[in-house]
Structures are given as C-alpha cells and as structure tokens.
C-alpha cells in the first residue's frame, strides 16, 4: 500500500480559482497545445506537449507541473499558483529553487461544459506523463477510456440516491453529483477515497459519503436509485494490483457484483457496470451471463470486445509494465497467466457493459448481444429508451401490435443495396445514425411498412394497404409480420405513439 501522504483540502477553492484563471481546463488545453499534441498526450507521448509549453505563461507552467510532471522554477510557479499554500498543503514539493507536483491533476470537461479536475497518483492517469506502468500496490488511477465509457452509458435522470462501487479517483461519483441528491462512494482502498474527496472538492462538486470496504459491504441494508461501478475486473493469476485485480478467481468478482446489485436497487433503479467474463470451453458465453442476472431485474448486456487468452495476457502485462522487466520474469508471469486460463478452461475473455433495471416483472427482459461496432456517446438516453421499449413490448401481444401506431425513429435512413442498373435492390437496410447505430436488413414489406409509419395509421391498416399493392393475402401478411414489428421496436427503429406507448 502506498504510504505517500495526500494534499490537504482546506484551501482547495483558491487552487481551483488559480487553475481556472490560467485556463487550465479541457478547452484551454486543446487551444494551447493544439489537436496534435493534445491527442499525443492520450497516447502517453509527451514530447509534442513539452515543445508546445516552452513559454512561461501560467498555463504552460501548469501543464508542465501537473500533466507532464516536470519540475518548474519556484518563481515561475508563483505566477500561476498560490505556491506557498500549495507547498504547505502538499500539492507541490519544493526542491531548492524548483517545485514538482505530488499528484496528477487532470482537467476534465463535464457533460454540460463543467470545468472538472480528476486527481490521481503521479503517472497513473491514462495518457499521463508516465503512462500507468508498474506501480506499487494501492495506487489510484486517473481517468481512462473505461471510466469515460461508463460515464457515457449511465442513465442521467435525477435520482435521490446514487452509489459508486470501487470509486477510484472519483469520476463516477463526480458525474453522479450532478443529478443525485445523495452520492455514496465506496472503495477497498482508503487512498482512493481520499482521492475522490480531492476530485470532488477541486471540481467544485458537493462532497460524497465515502465508505471503506469491499463491494456492497459498506452499504449493507441500504438501497439506491442508481448504482455504477468500473470494478477491478481483470482476470489474472493473483491480485497483484488493487486497481485492476479484484482478488477473486476468474470472473467471480464481476458475477458477485452483478448478482448482489439486485438487492441494493430501489424499484425502477438502474445498476450499470463494466465487466470482463470468461468464454469457457463447452459453454455459451450468453448462458454464463444469463445466470448472473438477479431476480426481479431486466438486463441488457452488450459484449463489445473479445480477446483470446494470449492477447488478454499481453495487454495486462504491458499495462503493469511487466514487459519492461527482466525477460525471465516476464516469461514466468506470462506462463502464470496461461496456466490460470488453462485451469479455468478459459479460451477467451469478453468485455462489455451490463445494465440492470429493477422491475419486479414476472417475466424479466434479458437481452444479451454482441455489438463491437462504433456507437454514439453519450448512450445514457439510448439505455433508458431500451428499457422503456422492453416495458412496452412485454404488454403487447400480436393483436395489440397490429392495433398500435408507430413512427420511424429520428435519424433512421434507408439504404438500397444491389447491382447498378438493376430494376430492384437485392435487399434494403435500415440504418440508425444515433445511439447504438444499428443496421438491420428488411424485406420489401418491412421497408414499405417502415417508410409510411408516421403515427397516423394503425400497423394493421398499413399492412392491409401493402398487401393490396403487392397482391398478397392480407390475413397471411398480418399473421407473419408482428414478429418483425416487434424486432424493429425492440432495436429502436420504430417508436410506438399514442395510448400505451
């Protein structure tokens, strides 16, 4: 466990004001560094940013201190910060005529343009000066791709209570503070709770209720309207690093987190996680995940990526810096990963999103799918709409669907695919340009049906007209089409209107 002391929080408002005055913000960084150097930082490449900040402006100084983690002259720092107080409170460390940052402070733009700051251990922000690399046990990472992904898919309706499990540096708690009356954040690592306190304070957000402990232990007996977690989901041979290894075998940590979430949700509440899961010989991965879903909850599980066991091991060996260790030690650790997977019968590892919604429905909706294609963030509204459609469809039999009226969702376009000059297309594709950006192939009936859905006519009447135009039996067409309508509604291509929608 790291024993490095953390900065005091008593005078954070003055520090925040200095950072804002210098335009040390997400927008200010982009303007100062330029798109190329700014993008290079995300790849842990610092040379372009160093070249762009060779001046002595307050913003140059702050970039070098907190993002590039370089020493700067004491007097130069004085022009950018209340430097005496920052040294006294522990944000900076003085070494002769120079000062260095003791923590990583990274500007982060909120969803409504808020100027936020994520505080983490030095070199532990993804895209930070040193990358994640090899660190001692107990360090706290900054914001990375997984963090922003979870923030983007989270439903952001106003709620009374929100819980961030495994808060880390506090980014999920920070987002939740904007729409939750009460935010509770937990972590097994007390250092993470201290960083979350700094992140919230430096971002000007309300403080959270911070509790130490594993998973749901610190909130035993309590329930929440929203639960979020980017847990230490890495499947590894031993819990070497708290930030990634949960200390349970295989994917047991993610399974336990998901299964226990149902009892911690209020009716109508959401629980949203990032997770890894094993692909095991002789078992369908969808069946494995279906057993994770707690009773009384609808679920939407999206597998975004699958890696074979060698790719997976190499990814996390690089993440921890083991590839820069002694070759014999690297080989031994690589072998240990493969031994672990062999013992578990694991052939690959999946990564994705898990969303639960507490409904208490007798027949819950459990949708498990693979979608590795690009999506449009933020997806929170699309997640909420997905569950609203499940609520609608569970109460609609075929007759009700034929009596209902629908509109084509916004941003859906029709593409015709076929040989140039052909009289008729080979097939027609409906494509979304928002949210999940799905595409689905439809036949001539489906294309015609979707094209005239403007909410004015019941589905059955539209099908009767199509049957007449295509010289088909209207009864047979009514019999075979409801399932296609149900799928188009479920995937968000059609939206029900009117009573019951």
């Amino acid at each position: 466990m790291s024993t490095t002391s953390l900065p005091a929080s008593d005078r954070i408002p003055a520090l925040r004001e200095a950072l804002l005055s210098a335009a040390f913000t997400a927008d200010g960084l982009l303007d100062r560094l330029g798109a190329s150097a700014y993008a290079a930082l995300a790849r842990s490449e610092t040379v372009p940013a160093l070249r762009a900040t060779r001046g002595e402006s307050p913003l140059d100084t702050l970039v070098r201190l907190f993002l590039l983690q370089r020493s700067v002259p004491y007097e130069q720092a004085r022009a950018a910060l209340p430097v005496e107080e920052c040294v006294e409170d522990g944000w900076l460390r003085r070494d002769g005529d120079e000062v260095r940052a003791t923590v990583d402070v990274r500007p982060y733009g909120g969803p409504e343009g808020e100027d936020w700051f994520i505080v983490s251990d030095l070199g532990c922000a993804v895209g930070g000066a040193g990358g994640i690399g090899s660190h001692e046990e107990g360090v706290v990472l900054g914001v990375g791709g997984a963090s922003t992904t979870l923030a983007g898919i989270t439903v952001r309706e106003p709620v009374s209570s929100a819980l961030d499990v495994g808060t880390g540096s506090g980014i999920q708690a920070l987002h939740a503070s904007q729409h939750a009356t009460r935010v509770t954040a937990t972590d097994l690592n007390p250092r993470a709770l201290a960083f979350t306190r700094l992140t919230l304070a430096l971002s000007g957000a309300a403080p959270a209720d911070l509790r130490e402990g594993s998973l749901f232990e610190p909130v035993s007996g309590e329930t929440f309207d929203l639960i979020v977690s980017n847990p230490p989901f890495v499947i590894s041979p031993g819990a070497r690093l708290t930030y990634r290894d949960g200390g349970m075998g295989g994917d047991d940590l993610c399974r336990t987190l998901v299964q226990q979430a149902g009892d911690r949700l209020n009716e109508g509440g959401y629980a949203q996680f990032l997770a890894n899961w094993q692909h095991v010989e002789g078992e369908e991965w969808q069946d494995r995940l279906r057993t994770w879903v707690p009773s009384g909850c609808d679920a939407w599980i999206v597998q975004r990526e699958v890696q074979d066991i060698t790719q997976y091991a190499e990814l996390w060996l690089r993440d921890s810096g083991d590839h820069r260790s002694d070759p014999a030690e690297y080989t031994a650790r690589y072998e240990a990963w493969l031994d672990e997977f062999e013992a578990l019968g694991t052939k690959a590892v999946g990564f994705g999103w898990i969303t639960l919604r507490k409904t208490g429905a007798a027949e819950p909706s459990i949708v498990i799918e693979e979608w590795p294609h690009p999506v449009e963030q933020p997806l929170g509204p699309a997640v909420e709409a997905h569950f609203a459609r499940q609520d609608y469809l569970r109460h609609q039999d075929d007759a009700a669907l034929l009596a209902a009226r629908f509109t084509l969702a916004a941003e859906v376009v029709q593409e015709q695919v076929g040989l140039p000059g052909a009289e008729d297309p080979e097939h027609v594709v409906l494509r979304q340009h928002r949210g999940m950006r799905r595409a689905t192939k439809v036949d001539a009936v489906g294309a015609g049906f979707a094209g005239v859905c403007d909410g004015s006519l019941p589905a059955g009447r539209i099908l009767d007209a199509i049957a007449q135009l295509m010289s088909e039996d209207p009864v047979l067409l009514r019999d075979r089409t409801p399932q296609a309508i149900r799928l188009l509604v479920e995937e968000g291509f059609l939206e029900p209107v009117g009573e019951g929608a």
Side-chain angles (χ1 to χ4, degrees), residues 23-33 38 59 107-109 113 115:
F24 187 62
T25 63
D27 289 340
L29 287 180
L30 182 59
D31 289 343
R32 182 68 187 91
L33 300 180
Y38 190 78
L59 182 53
Y108 179 79
D115 290 318

Side-chain angles (χ1 to χ4, degrees), residues 43-288:
R43 302 190 300 271
S44 298
E45 295 292 346
T46 61
V47 172
L50 282 167
R51 291 173 62 85
T53 56
R54 287 180 291 195
E56 296 183 3
S57 72
L59 182 53
D60 291 336
T61 300
L62 294 174
V63 171
R64 285 179 167 255
L65 272 174
F66 291 118
L67 294 190
L68 306 180
Q69 293 155 18
R70 301 299 177 97
S71 295
V72 302
Y74 184 89
E75 291 302 321
Q76 185 176 326
R78 187 193 293 276
L81 293 164
V83 69
E84 292 86 356
E85 290 87 347
C86 286
V87 170
E88 184 179 337
D89 291 345
W91 294 91
L92 303 176
R93 182 180 68 253
R94 186 168 184 175
D95 183 14
D97 292 333
E98 295 187 325
V99 291
R100 292 182 71 95
T102 62
V103 292
D104 185 296
V105 177
R106 192 152 300 260
Y108 179 79
E112 301 299 328
E114 300 93 343
D115 290 318
W116 289 343
F117 300 94
I118 309 300
V119 188
S120 64
D121 271 310
L122 290 173
C124 292
V126 177
I132 293 176
S134 181
H135 293 289
E136 62 182 306
E137 176 72 358
V139 297
V140 178
L141 301 190
V143 61
S147 301
T148 56
T149 293
L150 179 59
I153 68 173
T154 300
V155 174
R156 296 297 175 193
E157 288 299 309
V159 294
S160 296
S161 57
L163 172 65
D164 178 12
V165 179
T167 186
S169 56
I171 180 175
Q172 309 306 329
L174 180 57
H175 276 278
S177 71
Q178 302 304 292
H179 64 104
T181 303
R182 174 173 58 89
V183 177
T184 302
T186 70
D187 205 291
L188 185 63
N189 182 2
R191 188 172 176 82
L193 299 177
F195 270 116
T196 294
R197 182 179 293 107
L198 295 176
T199 289
L200 293 172
L202 192 57
S203 298
D209 180 3
L210 305 176
R211 305 188 196 178
E212 183 180 344
S214 177
L215 300 182
F216 294 110
E217 290 174 2
V219 294
S220 177
E222 299 178 53
T223 57
F224 301 86
D225 301 314
L226 173 67
I227 298 171
V228 293
S229 183
N230 177 19
F233 51 65
V234 178
I235 301 170
S236 66
R240 289 176 53 216
L241 298 171
T242 301
Y243 77 83
R244 71 173 198 191
D245 306 312
M248 297 185 187
D251 51 21
D252 282 353
L253 184 139
C254 292
R255 175 185 56 80
T256 301
L257 183 64
V258 174
Q259 288 179 338
Q260 293 181 356
D263 291 335
R264 296 286 171 263
L265 279 176
N266 292 324
E267 190 71 16
Y270 288 91
Q272 300 188 258
F273 313 104
L274 300 185
N276 271 176
W277 44 80
Q278 297 164 231
H279 285 226
V280 178
E281 292 285 354
E283 177 188 55
E284 295 295 330
W285 66 271
Q286 296 94 332
D287 294 339
R288 184 181 192 83

